[in-house]
Amino acid sequence: MYFSLPIEYRQATAEDLKSRITAARQKLGSRLTILAHHYQRLEVVEFADHIGDSYGLSKIAAAQKEVEFIVFCGVHFMAESADILTDASKMVYLPNPLAGCPMADMAEIADVMAAWEYLQQFGGAKRIMPISYMNTAAGLKAFTGRNGGLICTSSNAAAALKWSFEQREKVFFFPDQHLGYNTGIKYGITPKQMVIWDFSRDDGGLTESQLEKSRIILWKGHCHVHTNFLPEHVAAVRSKYPGAKIIVHPETPHNVVALADGVGSTSFLVNYCEKAPAGSIIAIGTEINLINRMAHAYPDKKIFELSGQTCPVCANMYRTTLNDLCYTLENLKDIKPITVPEPTRSDARLALEKMLEIT
Ligand code: SF4
């Protein structure tokens, strides 16, 4: 997809953009709400009516009764989820249409369907519950809903696992192997009971015996931001700052999670920083924009990025700029909203509503 802002928007100064965004918001008044994910740029977050992680924002989107326009500063699957959870009178806009999620793209629906077909010999939907992370395209959410499963986020993955095991023997978890594995361990599933489905192989690269004995089948996806963190980063921080607390997001590999003082969703990381006493030293394993914002918000605490060597930026979250936001707000009538067609919408909604119900 090619997308380029008109030159007038590309050349505008930050001050000009800010005053135009403010004016456009005032003009739209209560017809508009702006949602921003925690990983957005600071200057974009400053214009948000609501800031949150994908779970929090999906609940807020679902609760919108009066607004007509939801401008979602995030990535594509988030805007799709907001469209699915709201009624047809609400238009959802993604300010930068190129903002996707590479991890969501690792679970192509054609590969998922082929895997599901293969797993019919192990009982299919009679024995296996699909759980899809929020970070998936609408087509995969719809597949999950059609097969009785549900969506989860990093906030409620453990509850989704509990609910699933009350219904069926096994779980097929898409697309983040690390969130699935970390949640499985937390739930009491042993490493031997978790297998990784390699979607480049017809049989997932697994023997029949491995699949039969497994409790959780993990799709071989990952987030390139959170897999930056390594055990040696933890060791280096502990050596330099003996009193430091290390907290990480559960998309981080388990060998790092096991060494951390805390692991949890983006909201957990935000709350941790907020509640920590002044003078605390906190190293965080997650996306850099969120960490910078926490460091900026709590100058009485030393908050920094765990690796110290890489820059864990989500380039897709970073795509959305003030220029995009200004263009979107000033041209709502000419921009194509994010729309999920039927029957994908209804099937995906089943899986999303189940998530909201159980949590
Ligand atoms: Fe996707 Fe990772 Fe970016 Fe989140 S941080 S949107 S999972 S690539």
Side-chain angles (χ1 to χ4, degrees):
M1 182 196 296
Y2 176 73
F3 170 70
S4 177
L5 281 179
I7 192 157
E8 173 210 343
Y9 289 91
R10 278 185 277 139
Q11 291 186 341
T13 64
E15 286 322 303
D16 183 28
L17 291 167
K18 284 180 186 176
S19 67
R20 286 167 64 176
I21 291 170
T22 304
R25 284 178 90 197
Q26 277 167 0
K27 196 167 157 200
L28 289 161
S30 60
R31 298 168 71 201
L32 167 77
T33 192
I34 300 176
L35 310 181
H37 190 273
H38 282 297
Y39 297 172
Q40 291 286 299
R41 294 163 182 255
L42 179 61
E43 65 269 27
V44 169
V45 166
E46 280 171 354
F47 282 103
D49 295 302
H50 304 280
I51 307 164
D53 58 13
S54 53
Y55 175 57
L57 292 175
S58 67
K59 282 207 302 187
I60 289 165
Q64 298 301 314
K65 299 289 176 236
E66 306 302 327
V67 305
E68 291 169 51
F69 310 114
I70 298 174
V71 173
F72 205 132
C73 301
V75 293
H76 193 265
F77 72 80
M78 297 177 183
E80 275 188 337
S81 300
D83 178 58
I84 291 165
L85 286 168
T86 51
D87 66 53
S89 68
K90 303 195 174 31
M91 299 291 143
V92 179
Y93 297 88
L94 185 67
N96 188 314
L98 298 180
C101 168
M103 181 166 78
D105 294 343
M106 288 175 195
E108 285 280 343
I109 192 64
D111 292 337
V112 171
M113 297 302 287
W116 193 242
E117 184 59 37
Y118 181 83
L119 291 175
Q120 293 312 302
Q121 63 188 295
F122 298 91
K126 290 198 189 80
R127 293 177 76 202
I128 308 170
M129 182 69 80
I131 301 180
S132 289
Y133 192 20
M134 185 65 107
N135 303 30
T136 49
L140 180 45
K141 288 188 176 74
F143 159 85
T144 306
R146 272 198 306 281
N147 288 287
L150 81 172
I151 307 303
C152 77
T153 70
S154 51
S155 310
N156 59 28
L161 212 55
K162 179 174 181 295
W163 180 86
S164 298
F165 282 130
E166 283 164 4
Q167 330 282 322
R168 298 181 195 167
E169 287 167 54
K170 297 175 190 287
V171 158
F172 199 178
F173 193 96
F174 307 95
D176 184 22
Q177 57 178 298
H178 300 295
L179 175 65
Y181 188 90
N182 286 323
T183 310
I185 293 287
K186 191 171 160 191
Y187 187 78
I189 304 293
T190 65
K192 280 192 175 158
Q193 292 173 310
M194 292 190 267
V195 292
I196 295 175
W197 181 273
D198 179 351
F199 51 86
S200 68
R201 308 267 299 271
D202 289 348
D203 59 0
L206 297 166
T207 63
E208 289 186 11
S209 159
Q210 283 175 309
L211 281 166
E212 193 51 58
K213 286 182 191 152
S214 68
R215 298 289 312 281
I216 304 181
I217 305 163
L218 302 160
W219 194 259
K220 196 180 179 182
H222 68 273
C223 166
H224 68 283
V225 174
H226 291 95
T227 46
N228 271 309
F229 304 109
L230 303 171
E232 41 269 45
H233 298 149
V234 176
V237 168
R238 296 232 187 269
S239 151
K240 189 165 179 194
Y241 304 103
K245 296 293 182 195
I246 294 172
I247 55 173
V248 299
H249 190 279
E251 287 171 21
T252 305
H254 190 70
N255 58 359
V256 176
V257 165
L259 300 172
D261 298 298
V263 55
S265 68
T266 305
S267 294
F268 163 85
L269 302 175
V270 169
N271 290 339
Y272 193 100
C273 291
E274 187 186 326
K275 293 194 179 126
S280 296
I281 301 173
I282 307 169
I284 312 182
T286 194
E287 209 276 343
I288 194 73
N289 279 293
L290 170 66
I291 299 169
N292 286 344
R293 206 154 45 78
M294 291 299 100
H296 181 79
Y298 305 109
D300 57 338
K301 306 165 197 181
K302 183 172 177 60
I303 296 175
F304 58 97
E305 185 267 312
L306 172 62
S307 81
Q309 295 170 355
T310 58
C311 182
V313 65
C314 176
N316 283 277
M317 287 284 192
Y318 201 65
R319 280 181 189 275
T320 304
T321 59
L322 285 180
N323 314 62
D324 298 316
L325 183 57
C326 184
Y327 173 72
T328 304
L329 294 179
E330 290 185 349
N331 298 278
L332 282 174
K333 295 257 177 325
D334 302 320
I335 298 174
K336 200 166 173 282
I338 300 292
T339 313
V340 178
E342 291 291 359
T344 304
R345 180 190 172 86
S346 298
D347 290 345
R349 192 175 172 122
L350 283 177
L352 278 163
E353 285 180 343
K354 195 156 286 163
M355 169 187 81
L356 296 174
E357 250 170 55
I358 68 149
T359 49

